[in-house]
Amino acid sequence: MSLKRLNIRGISYSQTQNGAYALILKESGGNRQLPIVIGAFEAQSIAIALEKEISPPRPLTHDLFKSFAERYGIVVKQVIIHKLVDGVFYSSLICEKDKIEEIIDARTSDAIALAVRFKAPVFTYENILDEAGIQQHMQADKELIQEDDEDEENEILEDLINTAEGEKNDYSNLSLDELNKMLKEAVASENYELAAGIRDEISRR
């Protein structure tokens, strides 16, 4: 069975499962997209790893795993989503140490969160895309981001913030200096949802 590379297309809130998110993976060089339901913690972890402007003051669980692995010379080379059973995706981490490969079973959400941190490619099999993939321009409970890859990454956290809080905070009456101060305080207190909302307001200005 041939492997197909997948790229992260976006994250959107799932209206069908309370507290869950839909991670959208797009087939490289093709039109199919693979929606995978993940939890809120994993969605935030993936979004923060993709975010270029927010650096957590303390390591998240997946950051800790990466630091631990690197300290002992272990590298995640790639992630393979190898099985789909009753709507559940099964994944493997392909790891390497001293030129010896090991395969580790992992939840797909955790595997993707680690793949982003290790800059490792994500693959799946053709038959899984045939079974669960849907054509581009689909909607997963809410409209997906339709912008360039760089803009797309900057918008992912904003989607998480809007759905978690219900609506955006109104920062229109605050100056840029006040917003920058609030941003530093939010990051220092590890309130990444608030930090992302403030960051987006600064970027819009």
Side-chain angles (χ1 to χ4, degrees), residues 4-50:
K4 293 290 185 178
R5 184 164 181 171
L6 302 170
N7 300 310
I8 296 177
R9 183 71 182 86
I11 301 174
S12 64
Y13 189 69
S14 173
Q15 301 294 337
T16 59
Q17 296 194 34
N18 188 32
Y21 291 81
L23 170 66
I24 310 301
L25 303 176
K26 183 181 180 298
E27 173 188 19
S28 180
N31 295 321
R32 289 173 295 183
Q33 296 184 132
L34 196 65
I36 300 175
V37 175
I38 63 176
F41 172 79
E42 292 79 10
Q44 185 186 59
S45 180
I46 293 170
I48 288 175
L50 292 170

Side-chain angles (χ1 to χ4, degrees), residues 19 48-49 65 79 89 93 104 114 117 129 132 170-171 186:
I48 288 175
F65 183 98
V79 167
F89 293 90
L93 298 172
I104 300 176
L114 291 172
R117 286 165 169 80
L129 274 174
D170 184 10
Y171 302 114

Side-chain angles (χ1 to χ4, degrees), residues 5-144:
R5 184 164 181 171
L6 302 170
N7 300 310
I8 296 177
R9 183 71 182 86
I11 301 174
S12 64
Y13 189 69
S14 173
Q15 301 294 337
T16 59
Q17 296 194 34
N18 188 32
Y21 291 81
L23 170 66
I24 310 301
L25 303 176
K26 183 181 180 298
E27 173 188 19
S28 180
N31 295 321
R32 289 173 295 183
Q33 296 184 132
L34 196 65
I36 300 175
V37 175
I38 63 176
F41 172 79
E42 292 79 10
Q44 185 186 59
S45 180
I46 293 170
I48 288 175
L50 292 170
E51 178 57 56
K52 295 180 175 65
E53 298 180 23
I54 295 180
S55 178
R58 301 294 297 158
L60 302 178
T61 301
H62 297 108
D63 297 321
L64 175 61
F65 183 98
K66 180 175 184 289
S67 297
F68 184 89
E70 289 181 333
R71 183 67 60 89
Y72 289 93
I74 302 169
V75 177
V76 175
K77 302 293 290 185
Q78 63 183 19
V79 167
I80 299 178
I81 303 172
H82 60 85
K83 186 168 65 173
L84 174 62
V85 178
D86 296 329
V88 177
F89 293 90
Y90 292 77
S91 296
S92 295
L93 298 172
I94 311 301
C95 303
E96 183 180 272
K97 179 180 180 182
D98 298 330
K99 297 183 179 180
I100 298 175
E101 282 193 353
E102 295 286 348
I103 300 175
I104 300 176
D105 183 42
R107 296 189 308 166
T108 297
S109 54
D110 291 327
I112 299 298
L114 291 172
V116 175
R117 286 165 169 80
F118 280 93
K119 295 180 172 56
V122 179
F123 298 92
T124 193
Y125 290 105
E126 180 74 35
N127 66 311
I128 292 179
L129 274 174
D130 287 340
E131 180 179 350
I134 45 185
Q135 292 298 315
Q136 196 171 358
H137 308 309
M138 53 75 71
Q139 292 188 350
D141 298 318
K142 65 183 294 185
E143 186 175 357
L144 293 176

Side-chain angles (χ1 to χ4, degrees), residues 157-169:
L157 262 180
E158 185 174 356
D159 282 346
L160 290 173
I161 290 12
N162 292 344
T163 54
E165 296 180 350
E167 59 182 1
K168 291 184 182 179
N169 290 321

